[in-house]
């Protein structure tokens, strides 16, 4: 199934881990990255593209090189709330490392970029041969789980204004530069899990404090310094912890993993065209 905004195989894959935009994949030793390289496809992530919907079978994993992907929890009554924002420090679809499964979350591109795409079967085959890659997947899972835990606590303890400032900063961290974010009020409502009337009030308050300079035609122009003042402590704590996991723990643990290469296992679900 081809998802809107994603055209697999349109950009040739990079040949060596040191040239990969995803920070955790870039930490892999060349021999371990070589197990993935023939099966990776660099694909564009178009704004508002849905990579996977809640309840759907996960057919691809995405390792972002740029851009931002929001993981959204959808409740039966139609309400939504963001649980994490994934950039080049993470991955989408990691649960497939445990075997074929359906997604518990909806993944939506909120800032356009690119990603390395691979099928679950190909990743699983490489995991069986590479302890370093298995460690990388564990690191990525820790980074995502760190966001889940902080977001859950933040949603329970902090104001909507502080939470919106935190989300805007997280998304801004994953852009290529500039202070204009392509976010509509509907998107902000989805991120925060509140009604659009509440979003209107919150955005107005942030404009009054000049943390948001303008919000026209689905674009927010932000003042980062003022947002940092308004955001709760969760932003700095979460960012610091995730950066430590990705920048310090990942290279150390991945390179400490023992090497093991051999023939790939015969997997019942390994048939794929990617």
């Amino acid at each position: 199934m081809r998802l809107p905004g994603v055209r697999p195989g349109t950009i040739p894959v990079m040949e060596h881990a040191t040239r990969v935009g995803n920070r955790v994949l870039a930490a892999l030793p060349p021999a371990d990255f070589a197990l993935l390289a023939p099966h990776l496809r660099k694909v564009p992530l178009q704004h508002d593209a849905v990579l996977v919907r809640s309840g759907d079978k996960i057919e691809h994993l995405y390792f972002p090189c740029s851009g931002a992907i929001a993981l959204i929890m959808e409740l039966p009554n139609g309400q939504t709330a963001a649980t994490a924002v994934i950039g080049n420090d993470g991955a989408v679809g990691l649960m497939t490392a445990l075997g074929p499964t359906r997604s518990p979350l909806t993944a939506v591109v909120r800032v356009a970029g690119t990603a390395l795409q691979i099928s679950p079967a190909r990743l699983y085959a490489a995991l069986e041969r590479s302890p370093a890659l298995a460690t990388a997947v564990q690191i990525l899972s820790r980074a995502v789980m760190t966001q889940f835990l902080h977001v859950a606590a933040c949603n329970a303890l902090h104001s909507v204004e502080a939470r919106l400032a935190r989300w805007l900063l997280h998304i801004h961290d994953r852009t290529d530069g500039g202070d204009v974010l392509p976010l509509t009020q509907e998107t902000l409502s989805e991120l925060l899990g509140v009604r659009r009337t509440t979003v209107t009030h919150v955005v107005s308050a942030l404009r009054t404090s000049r943390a948001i300079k303008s919000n026209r035609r689905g674009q927010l122009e932000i003042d980062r310094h003022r947002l940092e003042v308004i955001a709760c402590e969760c932003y700095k704590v979460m960012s610091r912890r995730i950066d430590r996991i990705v920048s310090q723990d990942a290279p150390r643990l991945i390179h400490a993993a023992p090497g093991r290469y051999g023939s790939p296992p015969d997997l019942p679900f390994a048939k794929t065209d990617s």
Side-chain angles (χ1 to χ4, degrees):
M1 177 178 67
R2 180 170 295 182
L3 295 165
V6 180
R7 300 189 298 276
T10 57
I11 306 175
V13 69
M14 293 173 286
E15 296 179 354
H16 193 272
T18 56
R19 298 177 60 194
V20 174
N22 185 274
R23 292 166 62 188
V24 176
L25 286 187
L28 286 171
D32 296 89
F33 182 75
L35 297 174
L36 296 176
H39 312 296
L40 291 168
R41 296 293 180 270
K42 194 171 186 181
V43 298
L45 300 175
Q46 295 183 359
H47 181 239
D48 285 342
V50 178
L51 304 183
V52 63
R53 293 190 183 278
S54 175
D56 286 354
K57 181 180 178 181
I58 300 175
E59 297 184 346
H60 295 98
L61 288 90
Y62 297 88
F63 296 90
C65 302
S66 60
I69 301 167
L71 302 184
I72 306 295
M73 175 64 72
E74 298 182 3
L75 299 181
N77 64 1
Q79 289 183 299
T80 64
T83 59
V85 173
I86 305 299
N88 68 352
D89 52 358
V92 173
L94 284 176
M95 288 187 65
T96 58
L98 304 175
T101 188
R102 295 186 180 275
S103 178
L105 302 167
T106 295
V108 186
V109 178
R110 287 307 176 208
V111 176
T114 61
L116 294 175
Q117 180 196 73
I118 191 170
S119 73
R122 296 297 191 186
L123 178 71
Y124 189 74
L127 284 172
E128 289 292 298
R129 302 171 62 190
S130 170
L133 180 57
T135 300
V137 169
Q138 293 173 7
I139 292 291
L140 288 165
S141 299
R142 281 179 55 199
V144 173
M145 185 58 66
T146 296
Q147 281 204 65
F148 287 168
L149 295 175
H150 274 285
V151 169
C154 184
N155 287 348
L157 299 173
H158 297 134
S159 70
V160 180
E161 289 85 354
R163 288 161 48 203
L164 177 55
R166 173 178 57 77
W167 279 125
L168 293 178
L169 289 169
H170 283 312
I171 292 172
H172 187 249
D173 287 342
R174 291 160 175 82
T175 63
D176 292 331
D179 292 331
V180 178
L181 304 178
L183 302 172
T184 64
Q185 288 203 349
E186 182 179 358
T187 298
L188 298 180
S189 174
E190 181 182 68
L191 285 170
L192 292 166
V194 299
R195 295 180 179 180
R196 289 184 64 178
T197 52
T198 302
V199 171
T200 300
H201 174 76
V202 174
V203 170
S204 177
L206 292 181
R207 285 195 66 174
T208 299
S209 64
R210 294 186 293 174
I212 291 178
K213 298 178 181 179
S214 65
N215 58 313
R216 297 181 179 178
R217 295 185 296 276
Q219 293 188 326
L220 292 179
E221 184 181 3
I222 66 169
D223 184 309
R224 183 177 177 91
H225 175 72
R226 287 187 168 91
L227 280 179
E228 290 176 348
V229 173
I230 295 170
C232 54
E233 63 270 22
C234 293
Y235 168 69
K236 290 185 178 180
V237 172
M238 193 187 311
S239 298
R240 188 163 54 245
R241 289 181 178 175
I242 292 174
D243 189 65
R244 183 174 66 247
I245 290 171
V246 174
S247 299
Q248 300 178 27
D249 295 354
R252 175 174 55 83
L253 295 175
I254 287 172
H255 285 270
R260 176 162 56 89
Y261 308 100
S263 299
D266 185 14
L267 299 174
F269 58 97
K271 293 182 180 180
T272 179
D273 58 0
S274 61

